[in-house]
Amino acid sequence: MTSARWSRGEYTTVLLAILAGTTALLTASGQTWASGSVVLPDPLAPASVALSGDEVTRTVSALGWAGLAGVAALVASRGKARRVLGVPVAGFGAVAAYDIWHSTRGSELTRLASEQSAVDGPISGPTVHTAWPVLAAAGAVLLVAAGVATVVRGGAWPVMGSRYDRHGSADANRAGEPAELWKTLDSGVDPTLGPVSDDVTAESSSATATSAPATDTNVDSKES
């Protein structure tokens, strides 16, 4: 595999990792992470309490959206600027991972359940629904890995818009000059169908040079 293909593969893998990580964070944040109940005096039945990811940790959803913005920034950047952008992407993942760990501890969940409950009373549980916090944590790890890879290797990855560089613009401007357009029309080519090629320019120049003596001969015959 060539170096260019290897760089493109790395670049694509990192972008997909960021997308997967942010999708995991955003998906998990809307699911139920823990549930418990409030013990009420007899004969009242316990009141159930459910905590979603957004209620357990308020940063996971926001960091997921920030990660999506990071994808657009990485695509639009290049060189050192792209490598610098890897730092906040890794930071988003690190902050999300810490917040997930901190917010799913038993004491923290009990406090949150007490705050979210509509009635007062001792909290039984709560029980963590492991799948969604684990999914969010996996997404956070993907962001960290993608950010670190961007810092280390981002400068070697492909960039967008290389076909719109200064050299290409200069060629396009030359093709649109009035003299070139007149030569193209003289050769019978419609300039609106595409850029003026070197072959057409040479052909039109040759045709102009050939027709010039004929004009001089006509002028001389009229003078005589």
Side-chain angles (χ1 to χ4, degrees):
M1 181 180 293
T2 64
S3 177
R5 291 181 61 187
W6 179 261
S7 296
R8 285 195 297 271
E10 285 183 341
Y11 180 49
T12 302
T13 301
V14 167
L15 290 180
L16 291 176
I18 297 176
L19 288 173
T22 56
T23 300
L25 292 176
L26 293 173
T27 301
S29 65
Q31 307 300 322
T32 300
W33 284 27
S35 60
S37 59
V38 180
V39 180
L40 300 176
D42 292 334
L44 299 177
S48 61
V49 180
L51 298 174
S52 68
D54 285 329
E55 292 168 337
V56 172
T57 167
R58 300 183 184 277
T59 64
V60 167
S61 179
L63 292 171
W65 289 113
L68 284 180
V71 172
L74 288 177
V75 171
S77 62
R78 64 177 64 193
K80 292 182 178 179
R82 174 178 285 167
R83 296 179 65 181
V84 171
L85 284 171
V87 176
V89 171
F92 297 155
V95 172
Y98 172 78
D99 200 17
I100 293 166
W101 169 79
H102 179 267
S103 300
T104 52
R105 295 183 302 169
S107 58
E108 189 66 16
L109 288 175
T110 300
R111 181 186 66 81
L112 291 171
S114 178
E115 292 178 355
Q116 296 296 326
S117 176
V119 295
D120 294 331
I123 302 295
S124 175
T127 302
V128 178
H129 300 260
T130 310
W132 299 116
V134 168
L135 177 63
V141 171
L142 282 175
L143 288 184
V144 173
V148 172
T150 301
V151 172
V152 176
R153 295 282 300 163
W157 294 341
V159 298
M160 66 176 293
S162 58
R163 59 179 175 175
Y164 301 113
D165 59 8
R166 185 175 299 176
H167 178 72
S169 299
D171 291 342
N173 290 336
R174 285 199 302 272
E177 291 179 357
E180 297 295 335
L181 293 177
W182 279 114
K183 290 178 181 179
T184 306
L185 289 172
D186 289 340
S187 66
V189 177
D190 186 352
T192 63
L193 297 179
V196 181
S197 64
D198 293 339
D199 293 339
V200 172
T201 303
E203 182 180 341
S204 61
S205 300
S206 176
T208 302
T210 303
S211 61
T215 303
D216 294 342
T217 303
N218 292 335
V219 173
D220 292 341
S221 62
K222 289 182 180 180
E223 290 179 354
S224 61

